[in-house]
Amino acid sequence: MPSPESFYQEYPCSYNFPLNCDRPFQTAQQIKGAKFCLECGFLATLPQEAEIKGSQGTYQIGSFSGVRGLGRLYSGIQLKDKQPVIIKEYLLPNRSFNENETLKRKETFKRVGGVTLADSRIQNFRLVETKEAIADDKGERCYLITKGIDSSQTLSKYIIEKGAMTPVQVREVLNQALQTLQFLHTQKLRFPSNQIQLGLTHGNINLDSTLIKVEGHQKFSIYFCDLAIWENLFIPPIIPQPTPARPEQDLQSLGMVAFYLWVGRTTNLSSNQPLDPRDNQQWPDTDNHLKQFIYRLIGLETPFASAEAAREALLQLPKEEAANHSVPSSGSEIIEKRLPMPLILLLGILALLLVSTGIWYFILRNSSTVTSNKLIEWSRLVRNFSEVPNVPSGNFTYTGEKDSTWSYILTQPVDDSRLADFLAKPKADATAIYNYKSVLSADVNNQIQSIAEVETGKKDFAITSLENKITSQLKKEQIAYDGLIVFVAFNKRDSNLANTLGGQISLEQLRQIYTGKITNWQQINSKLPNPLEIKPFAPTEPEAIAKFQEIVLKNDPQDKALFAAKVTKLDTTKTQNQIRSETLEGRTTGIISFGIISKTWKQCSGYPLAIANGNKPASQPLFQKRDRRSINPSDDLCKHDDYYVDVTTFQSYPLGYPIFVVYPQDSNRLSGGSTFAQMLTTRQGQCLLSKVGLVALQPMPDDINSYACKSVP
């Protein structure tokens, strides 16, 4: 299939990839009922609670969950029985498809979108179950309603998170996938139009169209989705259309998937080009029999006649252990017996060293694969400030709230200077100077002054996290994430509150604590030996309080009033000092507080609690560096260099939120804000922001003092 990055070039997307751009989603969030991206006119994402009517029922949109293949994914429910579904939205934008092409593809989609067994048997052959295919009669969208597979993810995401698979795991992927292909290629199948066909080629097997559901220790199931017969309908006509695939092409594609899983990536790290299986150096050397089998699948050696023949050959392969160890001959046994004892001892030591080295190699190789994938994405960013083009000349004055995160981090030291000094003139050879002047809103509960300053032309742009205050007159560019850390007293030497809580707390428990409905820690955990009064504190930054009230209290007026009446406001550093003082005096303190990351993550008076949201597992974005795992109450947090914020985890952290550069829509005003945002999203900019306590937009080297950050001037 052609790369989706080349699609929809008729739309002037900033990222040159409208399908995967976040602007259509942002437009839908900002403007109720918006159907098109404000920036380029591409189709906006569907709003929450939108309803889609089909012949089998009505489905309601839950939340947008990203892009897979040629469509956008949403969680949802079937309203009749409240059963969860996955909704894949396919697009036929009118600048890419004319009216006649759109009509033909919609009709075909309704006829072929999904397959079942012709004899109506219910049999799990690991194809994602399709409920129905729906075409919007008047719009430019089609929808495939499928049954969700709990806790599944694409193989592409799996290797990014987990790294390379072992040979045993690759064999199991092949076993299940070949069994499914054998079924798909040979059974009588029925389409939604009731047409029956003997055998069907998948035609679109890749890391994104194959799902993995991990079911337990070393156990998983593989599922296929996104068959070419309906997926390819949404390739714009200006793009060369794929020819119908043949069964042998499914085997070749599966062979490439197995190759990528075993290597743990899809690109050559040195050239950034796609991996070539013909390059012997790219292959692991842990299972030669598996390697030869994949060679045949791909077609580099005698290909298999069918999926059935391939699976039979796979099941007859020698086990991995037998493949890598030859049986000693009687002659070698005689020689071994005649060796003098010291030489035997020496050989034993050498063998032990080799085995140990091999074990460490595989541990390091698997753990470093994720880092390699991060570095590939990281390397695609513009390198540094000096490489940002078209920086306008002039003195630009920008603003933010006086006690905001941005005002604070500008004062923080970074590389023997202050962040404010770095950003005053970020591009040495340009005549652009950026001066920061903070403002203070008259109403602390309605912080709009910084945004109003931009709207009225008093300031060129602003930096804020209060997304709901940004008006339609302004554009916004996300530059980083900020977030709130909730902490309680922490004393590693003895039993402490953090330990008793299991290192976590839920949003609902926080709401009840900060509105006075829960007043004693025994109400949360009865295992506490003695009653312990809860003392809720809040920081002094109005922006942080506003985000807490938005996320935890849902901006409920009554809860906000109770919060104001019952919570003590104190600077985060002073709260930490009070916790430390009470602990040193031997008192058990029930203080709980929260604060912005930059004021809370490099301290060890308070333990940063993981946050649970509803039925979802608690999220702890702070990771222990040595073991690459989330921290727990047994870790020594006083070693500040031992832990870091994990960007991937933070993107789903309940108390995280984006920070934006906000500037005028008016094209007659100089684009100082736009280019400032571009500089902050370079590698150099992201490194600088990470060093002062913000979170990068995408995974970067775990160590922000590493070569990848130091190598940008």
Side-chain angles (χ1 to χ4, degrees):
M1 178 188 293
S3 170
E5 293 185 30
S6 62
F7 294 5
Y8 318 120
Q9 294 302 309
E10 300 85 354
Y11 293 84
C13 174
S14 298
Y15 296 98
N16 293 318
F17 192 2
L19 184 63
N20 209 32
C21 177
D22 62 354
R23 305 298 172 81
F25 173 71
Q26 291 175 6
T27 297
Q29 296 296 299
Q30 295 167 18
I31 303 174
K32 187 175 181 180
K35 294 185 178 180
F36 304 99
C37 172
L38 286 175
E39 181 178 283
C40 73
F42 193 69
L43 293 165
T45 55
L46 299 170
Q48 281 190 326
E49 300 185 356
E51 294 183 2
I52 299 168
K53 293 184 179 180
S55 60
Q56 305 298 318
T58 300
Y59 308 91
Q60 187 178 69
I61 296 290
S63 60
F64 174 61
S65 54
V67 172
R68 189 184 73 216
L70 300 188
R72 300 192 290 212
L73 297 178
Y74 305 82
S75 63
I77 58 169
Q78 185 168 3
L79 288 177
K80 179 176 62 177
D81 53 12
K82 303 300 180 183
Q83 288 298 306
V85 295
I86 299 296
I87 301 169
K88 186 165 186 179
E89 174 200 30
Y90 291 103
L91 306 174
L92 295 162
N94 59 24
R95 296 185 200 173
S96 303
F97 298 83
N98 64 37
E99 186 175 350
N100 186 47
E101 290 163 345
T102 296
L103 182 61
K104 286 182 178 178
R105 294 177 191 232
K106 283 183 177 180
E107 290 301 318
T108 304
F109 178 68
K110 289 189 291 186
R111 286 191 292 103
V112 303
V115 291
T116 56
L117 279 167
D119 58 9
S120 300
R121 282 180 295 143
I122 298 176
Q123 185 170 342
N124 179 16
F125 54 99
R126 292 188 295 275
L127 275 182
V128 172
E129 181 183 336
T130 303
K131 289 182 172 290
E132 65 174 312
I134 303 169
D136 189 336
D137 291 336
K138 297 179 181 179
E140 304 164 52
R141 310 171 195 248
C142 292
Y143 311 100
L144 193 71
I145 313 298
T146 63
K147 183 178 180 180
I149 300 172
D150 293 338
S151 305
S152 66
Q153 61 183 160
T154 65
L155 287 178
S156 179
K157 290 184 178 178
Y158 178 90
I159 61 173
I160 289 173
E161 292 181 13
K162 306 290 187 182
M165 281 189 168
T166 65
V168 172
Q169 291 173 317
V170 174
R171 286 180 182 226
E172 180 57 23
V173 169
L174 288 169
N175 178 39
Q176 294 187 30
L178 286 168
Q179 190 176 35
T180 300
L181 287 181
Q182 179 182 341
F183 192 97
L184 191 63
H185 290 171
T186 60
Q187 293 293 310
K188 285 185 177 180
L189 302 171
R190 186 189 303 275
F191 291 107
S193 61
N194 278 328
Q195 175 188 350
I196 294 175
Q197 178 173 313
L198 178 60
L200 178 65
T201 301
H202 187 295
N204 185 37
I205 295 174
N206 54 58
L207 292 173
D208 286 320
S209 66
T210 313
L211 308 182
I212 181 170
K213 178 184 178 182
V214 179
E215 298 168 330
H217 183 63
Q218 297 295 321
K219 291 185 178 180
F220 56 80
S221 293
I222 295 297
Y223 292 83
F224 282 139
C225 57
D226 303 339
L227 272 65
I229 195 168
W230 62 76
E231 190 86 0
N232 287 355
L233 292 172
F234 302 94
I235 298 175
I238 196 173
I239 305 293
Q241 303 294 296
T243 57
R246 302 183 303 277
E248 57 266 30
Q249 290 173 303
D250 277 351
L251 299 184
Q252 293 168 8
S253 298
L254 178 60
M256 290 301 296
V257 166
F259 172 55
Y260 294 144
L261 291 175
W262 198 5
V263 177
R265 61 182 186 276
T266 60
T267 56
N268 189 313
L269 295 180
S270 58
S271 66
N272 206 28
Q273 295 300 309
L275 286 176
D276 185 354
R278 287 180 286 266
D279 181 358
N280 196 51
Q281 293 184 343
Q282 301 296 334
W283 287 84
D285 58 0
T286 50
D287 188 339
N288 191 54
H289 290 273
L290 176 60
K291 178 181 176 181
Q292 295 303 315
F293 178 83
I294 297 175
Y295 262 33
R296 291 189 63 186
L297 270 186
I298 296 173
L300 297 178
E301 292 185 359
T302 307
F304 295 106
S306 64
E308 181 180 8
R311 185 164 181 261
E312 287 179 359
L314 175 72
L315 296 176
Q316 291 172 10
L317 288 182
K319 299 296 183 184
E320 181 188 3
E321 295 79 6
N324 293 306
H325 296 86
S326 59
V327 179
S329 67
S330 58
S332 64
E333 291 174 356
I334 294 170
I335 293 172
E336 181 178 316
K337 290 177 183 178
R338 292 176 180 173
L339 287 173
M341 184 59 68
L343 184 56
I344 293 174
L345 184 61
L346 179 61
L347 289 174
I349 293 171
L350 286 173
L352 182 61
L353 287 172
L354 286 171
V355 170
S356 301
T357 303
I359 291 171
W360 276 108
Y361 167 76
F362 286 117
I363 291 173
L364 291 172
R365 182 171 71 89
N366 287 333
S367 65
S368 64
T369 303
V370 175
T371 302
S372 298
N373 282 291
K374 291 179 183 178
L375 289 173
I376 291 170
E377 293 298 319
W378 178 252
S379 66
R380 293 175 180 169
L381 298 180
V382 174
R383 188 167 178 266
N384 52 37
F385 295 158
S386 64
E387 294 178 6
V388 174
N390 304 320
V391 177
S393 299
N395 287 345
F396 298 94
T397 302
Y398 70 110
T399 189
E401 288 292 329
K402 183 179 180 181
D403 290 319
S404 65
T405 293
W406 191 259
S407 292
Y408 175 73
I409 66 170
L410 284 179
T411 67
Q412 295 306 292
V414 56
D415 295 350
D416 301 320
S417 186
R418 292 187 317 146
L419 182 62
D421 299 327
F422 270 98
L423 300 182
K425 192 176 181 182
K427 196 168 180 179
D429 60 348
T431 55
I433 297 176
Y434 296 91
N435 300 302
Y436 182 72
K437 301 291 183 183
S438 64
V439 293
L440 183 63
S441 292
D443 182 358
V444 73
N445 295 314
N446 189 25
Q447 294 183 285
I448 59 171
Q449 188 59 39
S450 62
I451 293 172
E453 294 273 300
V454 180
E455 286 183 322
T456 58
K458 294 179 182 178
K459 300 292 189 295
D460 294 294
F461 58 95
I463 297 185
T464 182
S465 64
L466 302 179
E467 186 177 5
N468 58 351
K469 304 293 185 183
I470 302 172
T471 67
S472 59
Q473 299 177 40
L474 303 173
K475 286 187 177 182
K476 61 182 181 181
E477 299 277 355
Q478 186 175 337
I479 55 169
Y481 292 100
D482 194 11
L484 303 176
I485 299 291
V486 177
F487 57 94
V488 294
F490 179 71
N491 181 1
K492 189 172 182 292
R493 290 172 297 179
D494 53 34
S495 179
N496 55 73
L497 183 56
N499 227 349
T500 307
L501 295 174
Q504 66 181 58
I505 199 165
S506 72
L507 289 182
E508 177 58 20
Q509 288 168 335
L510 284 174
R511 186 188 70 80
Q512 294 190 52
I513 287 172
Y514 277 87
T515 55
K517 296 180 174 63
I518 292 179
T519 58
N520 197 287
W521 285 111
Q522 278 191 331
Q523 291 174 263
I524 290 181
N525 192 326
S526 59
K527 293 181 180 179
L528 273 172
N530 300 302
L532 180 62
E533 180 188 2
I534 296 176
K535 300 177 183 178
F537 282 69
T540 52
E541 295 91 353
E543 194 175 75
I545 292 174
K547 295 306 294 186
F548 185 88
Q549 292 178 336
E550 174 188 336
I551 298 169
V552 179
L553 306 184
K554 308 297 183 185
N555 280 331
D556 181 273
Q558 183 177 355
D559 283 353
K560 288 170 70 173
L562 291 170
F563 176 95
K566 297 179 180 296
V567 176
T568 302
K569 292 181 183 177
L570 188 66
D571 178 79
T572 299
T573 302
K574 292 181 179 178
T575 302
Q576 293 164 356
N577 289 340
Q578 184 166 333
I579 290 175
R580 187 182 301 111
S581 175
E582 292 185 17
T583 302
L584 290 174
E585 291 172 6
R587 289 188 284 161
T588 302
T589 178
I591 290 176
I592 182 173
S593 189
F594 63 91
I596 56 177
I597 295 174
S598 50
K599 284 192 173 184
T600 54
W601 71 311
K602 289 192 174 180
Q603 53 79 40
C604 53
S605 300
Y607 180 82
L609 296 172
I611 305 298
N613 184 10
N615 296 323
K616 297 178 181 178
S619 176
Q620 173 56 269
L622 295 180
F623 270 49
Q624 204 268 2
K625 187 169 294 183
R626 185 184 66 243
D627 300 324
R628 296 292 190 267
R629 58 160 174 80
S630 56
I631 62 169
N632 61 58
S634 66
D635 290 320
D636 186 355
L637 300 185
C638 292
K639 297 179 180 179
H640 298 157
D641 292 332
D642 267 357
Y643 64 98
Y644 64 100
V645 179
D646 181 74
V647 176
T648 303
T649 304
F650 193 85
Q651 289 171 353
S652 59
Y653 178 60
L655 294 180
Y657 47 86
I659 286 186
F660 301 95
V661 171
V662 179
Y663 56 94
Q665 293 266 13
D666 185 0
S667 58
N668 293 320
R669 292 173 63 178
L670 287 175
S671 56
S674 177
T675 52
F676 192 75
Q678 288 180 54
M679 285 187 278
L680 291 178
T681 50
T682 62
R683 274 183 273 166
Q684 183 179 12
Q686 294 289 283
C687 280
L688 288 172
L689 297 182
S690 296
K691 289 179 180 180
V692 293
L694 294 182
V695 182
L697 293 176
Q698 64 184 54
M700 58 183 289
D702 295 326
D703 181 1
I704 58 175
N705 295 308
S706 69
Y707 174 78
C709 276
K710 286 183 176 179
S711 62
V712 287

